[in-house]
Amino acid sequence: MKKWVPIASGLLAGFVAATISFADFSNSTNNQVASNSTKSDAEKVYVPFGEKDDYYLFASGGHSGQMFIYGVPSMRHIRTVPVFSPDSATGYGFDEHSKKMLGDYTWGDLHHPAFSETNGDYDGKYMFATDVGNSRAAAMDLETFTVKDIINVPNTSGPHCAAFVTQNTEYMFLPTRFAVPIGSEYKPLDDYSDQYRGVMSAVTFDQNKDKLNIAYQVALPPWSYDLSDAGKKSSADWAVMTTYNTEEATTNLEINASQADRDFIVLFNWKELEKMVADGQYDEVTGQKMIFPEKHKGGIYLVPVAKSPHGVDVTPDGKHFIASGKLAPSMTVFSFEKAFAAIEKQDFAGERNGIPIINYDSIMEREVNPENALGPLHTQFDDKGMAYTTMFISSEIVKWDPKTGETLDRVPVQYSPGHSVAAEGDTVAPDGKWLIALNKIAKDSYLSVGPSHPESMQLIDISGKMKVIQSSPVNPEPHYAQIIKADKIKTIEVYPKDENNKLATYKQDQARIERNGNEVHVYGIAMRSKFIFDAKAKRPDVIEVNQGDKVFIHLTNTDFDEDITHGFAINSYNLNIEVQPGQTNTIEFTADKAGTFPLYCTNFCSALHQEMTGYFLVKPKK
Ligand code: RUQ
Ligand code: CUA
């Protein structure tokens, strides 16, 4: 592999040029490549056919709007689950439920996946994610790996910071990346500081109804909120999030949002905010309960931090939070305990927008600057509480001790890691063993596919001295990921029969077509290897309607058999849905085109899959 000199873009490049010459890079520790893995390393990642991986990796699909599921340690791609974008492979965005969830959106930008937690540990029930592109949040159920609910978050533009759940999945907090006026109304940018807000939403998930809800919102100052993390154990009622552009620049942010030496971490007590809302301490705006911190006092504090911080991560013991520099080559360790004491004593250094600023020196535990390490972004933890921070600019992972600040180990990665993810590495009980660098640039790592390359995920054995031992290309873009022990996830094999579901048809002789004015309801069956739409008809596998009819097809897969999925597509009608074993799914459309349209099963299901066809006949209007 060629040696590649990391060239960061924009401000980072300016920063690099200003602080370190490229010659320094070639002389730094970063002159090895990953290809020094050996045969015994290969055995560690080889999972023989028939055996399963130890962990699931859920990687954000970025602007594909999807989630990528891999096995660890093999790094085999197992599945792509569509979340914020339609997907013809699964009919997502075509059937009624998913079509309603997606609305008019045809893309999303999925950044930070988060598992549901119980007592600060992944419980394997749900996965949450947010969409920076269209300000949404989604909940995926891990029995079926399908999305159950999507919510649009008003007053927010790009909940990049999220999703991070509190210790028992009480909330996820969705602060905005882009400040906008409340209600996203038109307001001139000259009025930015007065009229724009950085609204944060407290979102809950009802596990009985599979529903996301907005409990309340907070009208924070018009800054950009970057990353957040929830407290754990003694800090469980608290959460932290980084800010940038506290300069409140409205143009050329590359320069203007990096003027001040300090930005802030917002530290807030969500139990207190919850109480304020219960006590009526909020204003009702745009149908939301909105806390205005300058008016509804309490629960929110600012912690000064080196300029333009990026990640902030809470240690597994819940005692510290660590901010990473992005523009300052250091990680800053803060103490929750000291912060609580400072709040108690009102040890404040003024305020901004009515929010008290805690004295930096009172709660800062240490600033950590590993030699020549540049561009720290995000931190994960192992089973001994050791920290692993990605260095975007110097393209490496640095292992260090949060209690002493001592650098313990470092390994180069290829190249420019954003996040990394350790096995259960953001819980109260990380597993150790594996860490995956989520690299923004793959460069010369894989067979070329033209000018744009895939991203790369490199598996690092962290059980001893860190070593990169496997790598996998991945579609754009793994912003963040989560690794969960495989045995925590309990998937179902078939959808159970639901006799209460009026749309389901389990008995062949009950397949029928009902007409009501110009509405046609088909209660059909998909089974190996035929469709039955109307059991009594001369041709049970044919649907005939009139041009202009509103057609509802309720299709039940009556093969209660592992992995026997059927599809349903009508040629030239731009329709395709999937029915998994035992599932009933509905598709609704208007038969606007007259003609003869073959229909067929899109999912290979038996030796006679090719025969699983029929006709959709649309009689022209007179
Ligand atoms: S951010 S590369 Cu979208 Cu998670 Cu830090
Ligand atoms: Cu059913 Cu192919």
Side-chain angles (χ1 to χ4, degrees):
M1 219 183 272
K2 291 193 289 279
K3 192 159 64 193
W4 179 65
V5 179
I7 297 174
S9 64
L11 217 155
L12 293 177
F15 174 72
V16 175
T19 55
I20 185 163
S21 75
F22 288 132
D24 290 333
F25 274 109
S26 47
N27 291 331
S28 75
T29 51
N30 305 326
N31 52 6
Q32 331 158 19
V33 289
S35 53
N36 59 358
S37 54
T38 63
K39 185 152 169 279
S40 62
D41 293 331
E43 273 165 16
K44 284 188 197 154
V45 299
Y46 180 64
V47 178
F49 180 69
E51 286 177 29
K52 308 272 167 67
D53 278 295
D54 298 334
Y55 294 90
Y56 285 96
L57 167 71
F58 284 62
S60 114
H63 43 295
S64 75
Q66 301 169 326
M67 187 96 69
F68 306 130
I69 319 291
Y70 282 72
V72 175
S74 74
M75 301 298 284
R76 293 186 290 213
H77 178 218
I78 301 169
R79 163 134 292 203
T80 295
V81 180
V83 180
F84 294 118
S85 314
D87 172 46
S88 66
T90 50
Y92 187 76
F94 295 81
D95 66 76
E96 273 318 278
H97 178 238
S98 58
K99 197 163 84 184
K100 275 203 191 106
M101 284 195 301
L102 291 181
D104 292 334
Y105 292 120
T106 55
W107 81 289
D109 189 4
L110 192 160
H111 274 243
H112 301 105
F115 284 121
S116 55
E117 294 183 10
T118 300
N119 298 325
D121 217 345
Y122 301 154
D123 57 25
K125 289 196 202 150
Y126 293 93
M127 161 57 75
F128 303 103
T130 52
D131 168 20
V132 180
N134 295 308
S135 304
R136 295 174 288 174
M140 182 196 299
D141 138 75
L142 299 180
E143 281 188 341
T144 59
F145 281 54
T146 57
V147 173
K148 291 294 178 193
D149 196 24
I150 292 181
I151 190 173
N152 287 290
V153 187
N155 299 321
T156 290
S157 247
H160 176 267
C161 239
F164 294 88
V165 301
T166 53
Q167 191 164 272
N168 287 297
T169 321
E170 294 95 338
Y171 290 99
M172 44 182 172
F173 293 98
L174 274 53
T176 195
R177 172 173 171 193
F178 308 107
V180 288
I182 286 174
S184 294
E185 281 170 31
Y186 168 80
K187 300 269 173 179
L189 279 160
D190 284 343
D191 301 340
Y192 185 86
S193 294
D194 293 335
Q195 300 288 345
Y196 285 56
R197 288 291 183 143
V199 170
M200 170 178 88
S201 306
V203 172
T204 57
F205 182 66
D206 181 337
Q207 302 202 0
N208 296 318
K209 297 194 183 124
D210 282 344
K211 272 272 161 230
L212 292 158
N213 295 295
I214 300 174
Y216 59 88
Q217 297 190 316
V218 185
L220 291 168
W223 305 337
S224 290
Y225 299 84
D226 210 9
L227 260 302
S228 61
D229 201 3
K232 300 176 170 80
K233 297 184 172 174
S234 57
S235 58
D237 299 349
W238 296 77
V240 280
M241 55 203 194
T242 52
T243 66
Y244 61 98
N245 196 21
T246 57
E247 295 88 345
E248 301 177 11
T250 54
T251 184
N252 204 356
L253 261 58
E254 185 186 21
I255 303 206
N256 295 331
S258 311
Q259 298 299 308
D261 273 346
R262 303 242 158 191
D263 287 292
F264 298 107
I265 285 175
V266 180
L267 168 71
F268 63 97
N269 183 314
W270 56 266
K271 278 262 167 81
E272 212 172 314
L273 298 183
E274 192 178 69
K275 193 163 173 299
M276 283 164 62
V277 172
D279 294 346
Q281 281 206 61
Y282 62 83
D283 288 355
E284 186 101 19
V285 283
T286 65
Q288 303 295 328
K289 298 180 169 113
M290 185 79 72
I291 294 175
F292 288 89
E294 70 274 27
K295 184 166 150 196
H296 311 109
K297 298 269 182 191
I300 307 175
Y301 306 90
L302 299 175
V303 176
V305 63
K307 73 157 74 176
S308 301
H310 189 54
V312 59
D313 299 281
V314 174
T315 52
D317 60 11
K319 292 197 169 137
H320 297 98
F321 54 99
I322 298 168
S324 295
K326 185 165 86 178
L327 295 188
S330 62
M331 291 81 81
T332 312
V333 183
F334 295 95
S335 157
F336 271 114
E337 233 162 79
K338 288 183 181 169
F340 303 157
I343 290 166
E344 185 78 38
K345 282 188 293 198
Q346 307 223 338
D347 181 5
F348 299 142
E351 55 167 53
R352 283 256 332 240
N353 303 50
I355 309 173
I357 302 172
I358 302 176
N359 258 318
Y360 178 78
D361 294 323
S362 307
I363 76 165
M364 194 277 290
E365 200 104 328
R366 64 181 53 81
E367 289 170 356
V368 181
N369 310 284
E371 206 186 341
N372 290 333
L374 286 176
L377 292 185
H378 299 281
T379 301
Q380 291 275 297
F381 302 94
D382 69 11
D383 50 333
K384 310 206 168 54
M386 295 303 122
Y388 297 76
T389 302
T390 45
M391 299 292 164
F392 180 82
I393 298 175
S394 52
S395 270
E396 60 180 328
I397 310 282
V398 172
K399 174 181 177 183
W400 56 286
D401 185 346
K403 296 211 168 66
T404 61
E406 187 194 351
T407 301
L408 303 171
D409 196 4
R410 52 209 294 175
V411 69
V413 293
Q414 287 70 32
Y415 305 89
S416 300
H419 286 263
S420 76
V421 55
E424 311 215 339
D426 61 0
T427 69
V428 291
D431 266 21
K433 238 161 148 173
W434 303 115
L435 179 95
I436 295 170
L438 304 168
N439 304 321
K440 300 295 187 193
I441 308 283
K443 218 66 181 177
D444 46 11
S445 304
Y446 310 108
L447 288 174
S448 175
V449 288
S452 178
H453 298 200
E455 267 62 64
S456 126
M457 303 194 292
Q458 282 176 301
L459 180 72
I460 301 169
D461 181 352
I462 55 168
S463 54
K465 180 159 173 52
M466 280 194 286
K467 194 169 184 193
V468 176
I469 61 173
Q470 175 76 310
S471 123
S472 237
V474 57
N475 279 347
E477 176 166 348
H479 289 279
Y480 185 39
Q482 302 258 274
I483 301 177
I484 188 171
K485 280 194 203 85
D487 59 12
K488 282 190 178 172
I489 290 186
K490 310 262 184 274
T491 53
I492 56 168
E493 261 179 23
V494 301
Y495 281 82
K497 230 182 222 178
D498 178 4
E499 301 290 359
N500 296 323
N501 184 355
K502 296 207 167 54
L503 305 179
T505 309
Y506 297 112
K507 296 207 179 85
Q508 294 186 30
D509 60 357
Q510 284 172 10
R512 66 203 183 274
I513 298 179
E514 291 175 1
R515 174 174 282 280
N516 186 355
N518 67 342
E519 248 186 51
V520 179
H521 284 264
V522 180
Y523 298 88
I525 283 175
M527 59 186 285
R528 274 167 292 182
S529 302
K530 62 183 171 202
F531 291 109
I532 310 173
F533 302 120
D534 186 350
K536 305 207 167 61
K538 182 168 145 203
R539 297 186 183 86
D541 45 13
V542 169
I543 302 170
E544 184 161 330
V545 302
N546 299 319
Q547 186 177 15
D549 278 349
K550 212 164 178 211
V551 182
F552 298 79
I553 298 170
H554 314 287
L555 196 61
T556 301
N557 179 344
T558 59
D559 285 316
F560 287 87
D561 238 339
E562 184 177 20
D563 201 20
I564 304 300
T565 295
H566 300 288
F568 170 86
I570 301 176
N571 272 11
S572 310
Y573 249 85
N574 197 30
L575 299 172
N576 175 45
I577 60 167
E578 175 185 90
V579 271
Q580 296 186 6
Q583 190 184 24
T584 301
N585 219 342
T586 295
I587 188 163
E588 181 199 325
F589 61 98
T590 302
D592 43 13
K593 273 188 289 194
T596 299
F597 306 95
L599 57 87
Y600 72 105
C601 171
T602 42
N603 210 309
F604 213 105
C605 51
S606 76
L608 296 173
H609 153 83
Q610 203 70 354
E611 280 73 9
M612 193 166 168
T613 62
Y615 279 96
F616 180 62
L617 300 171
V618 185
K619 260 191 234 155
K621 266 196 191 126
K622 300 245 167 59

